[in-house]
Amino acid sequence: MVAGDHNIRPIIVPRDISKLPWNTGYAEAVNAGKSLKNEDQSAIYEGFLERNTRVSTSPAKEATDLTAESDLADSAGGYRLPYYYFAIFDGHAGSGAAVSAANQLHYILHEKLVDIIDHLMPENELETVPGKPVKMFIPAKDLGFQSLVVGALEAAFWEMDKLIEEDRFRYKITGGCTALVALFILGKLFVANAGDCRAVWCRETGAVDMSNDFTPETERRRIRKLAALKPELLGASFTALDYLRRPTKNDIGQRMLYREPYMTGWAYKTIAEDDLKVPVVFGDGKRSRVLATIGVTRGFGDHDLKAQLGGVPIKPFLTSQPEVRILDLEQESITELDVLVMGSDGLWDVTSSDIAAKVVLSSIQGFLPEDDSRYKYRLTSAAQDLVMNSRGKHTQKGWRTIEEKVATVDDISVFVIPLLPYKVEYEQWQKQICPEKLSIVETSHECSNTRELIIF
């Protein structure tokens, strides 16, 4: 298929953008031959939480009807809280973990959100029968719903990793993947990141990073501290110590700058035979590797991966723990130029956050609102331009950017998500759902309906 041609690397976009919430932009391109297939996976999920006296069997509706009164309440008196989920999973050593996460993480997260529905749609006393209040646990400390959503995301990531561990032999799941999730719920944007994918809030005034890149370089201290606490994980070939340069046999007996895992500065020590071991984080920058083997530190999978030197398991040094950042859309001044760009590391290897903001702004401003037939494609065009900026063109020297610099040879996946439509939609939801109505529910019959899952 042309889409998977490693020599042409066509930029692929959805045929029907109306299936994406708010005409969100999406584009992708396959790698230049570093792996047989595109190992990136992306997913969009529209769902809602529902507190009801019965399980609703109403069919799924189009996203454009989400704020209609008939879609927010049914004849049984139940009320729905809509949410949106976007995710990118960047696979390595196979696409199995990324495919598994793209098809299952949203279900796990949904169940975690159902667990906290009493806090997302709160009432101190929930009346199902007049005069008979349903008891509900209210913590003595007011945690706020944001910390509970963060907890739901963190728990879902951990459970997803455990599920891959359990299913890896049954479904032959190979390799691992990093994970980046954006969750729009209750007027807030939650971005959960485990790995080196990145989310950036692009504004007319510039870029705001909504995630941190987790690599062996940025997590050097965490990994070295773990190695110091559990030296048995290092085997006989690795050390938790760090050196200004790697010692050689000629350095034995000489003094050299080094640091322990608990140190931020440097000190001198006399080099001994034991100092010739390989550092647990080997190399620098983009070339740094955990146990001289893998270039990622967070995500899912890699349960059977072993170091090339010594054969010690690498998984203990990896974690599925995401970092979660929150953007309060209610409190921000959001315009049509505000978008969230989500991309796999293939995009960010070449394109910085600031450049991405400039590319998006230039692309969006090229479409006039008066031209309805073209205006709806502005975000798709922005996603294409971002992919093009990192993929570049194939020349006699290989893949090069427009500035004649080395372009990425990795898979690239990009979302360009508008923020204003969700903010407007949430404000409409607030007006239509009165707090009093939320008390006419039965907590023992919480349920949910889900909308279409789109996987790229």
Side-chain angles (χ1 to χ4, degrees), residues 27 50 174 185 248 378 421:
E50 183 176 28
T174 59
I185 189 169
T248 66
R378 69 195 186 283

Side-chain angles (χ1 to χ4, degrees), residues 137-209:
F137 170 71
I138 303 295
K141 182 180 179 180
D142 183 14
L143 299 175
F145 86 90
Q146 294 185 65
S147 64
L148 295 169
V149 174
V150 170
L153 285 161
E154 292 171 333
F157 271 56
W158 279 98
E159 193 167 314
M160 183 71 248
D161 190 46
K162 292 298 182 183
L163 184 60
I164 290 176
E165 181 181 19
E166 295 169 0
D167 290 346
R168 69 188 191 280
F169 297 123
R170 185 186 313 164
Y171 300 110
K172 298 181 180 179
I173 300 175
T174 59
C177 70
T178 59
L180 176 65
V181 168
L183 175 66
F184 292 81
I185 189 169
L186 281 174
K188 307 291 190 294
L189 166 60
F190 295 81
V191 177
N193 180 47
D196 55 3
C197 293
R198 189 188 306 169
V200 178
W201 175 20
C202 295
R203 315 199 69 183
E204 190 172 9
T205 55
V208 178
D209 285 342

Side-chain angles (χ1 to χ4, degrees), residues 162-293:
K162 292 298 182 183
L163 184 60
I164 290 176
E165 181 181 19
E166 295 169 0
D167 290 346
R168 69 188 191 280
F169 297 123
R170 185 186 313 164
Y171 300 110
K172 298 181 180 179
I173 300 175
T174 59
C177 70
T178 59
L180 176 65
V181 168
L183 175 66
F184 292 81
I185 189 169
L186 281 174
K188 307 291 190 294
L189 166 60
F190 295 81
V191 177
N193 180 47
D196 55 3
C197 293
R198 189 188 306 169
V200 178
W201 175 20
C202 295
R203 315 199 69 183
E204 190 172 9
T205 55
V208 178
D209 285 342
M210 290 298 297
S211 66
N212 176 55
D213 297 350
F214 291 103
T215 66
E217 181 65 37
T218 62
E219 293 221 89
R220 187 181 294 268
R221 289 194 66 192
R222 177 185 70 81
I223 294 170
R224 291 175 59 235
K225 283 183 177 180
L226 175 60
L229 290 172
K230 296 187 176 183
E232 66 274 12
L233 297 176
L234 295 172
S237 302
F238 296 93
T239 178
L241 301 183
D242 202 10
Y243 305 89
L244 196 59
R245 66 172 176 82
R246 189 178 174 191
T248 66
K249 288 185 177 181
N250 293 333
D251 295 314
I252 294 177
Q254 304 296 319
R255 285 166 59 80
M256 181 179 289
L257 287 171
Y258 89 111
R259 58 185 174 187
E260 300 279 356
Y262 55 82
M263 296 170 59
T264 58
W266 297 86
Y268 277 101
K269 73 165 296 186
T270 301
I271 299 301
E273 186 78 26
D274 206 45
D275 293 305
L276 303 185
K277 293 180 179 180
V278 179
V280 64
V281 177
F282 180 74
D284 299 298
K286 290 290 292 184
R287 295 186 177 183
S288 59
R289 298 289 184 268
V290 178
L291 298 181
T293 302

Side-chain angles (χ1 to χ4, degrees), residues 100-120:
S100 180
N103 282 280
Q104 297 181 87
L105 179 59
H106 60 284
Y107 286 120
I108 298 173
L109 176 59
H110 183 86
E111 291 304 314
K112 301 303 178 185
L113 293 174
V114 169
D115 287 343
I116 59 172
I117 195 171
D118 287 336
H119 301 274
L120 300 181

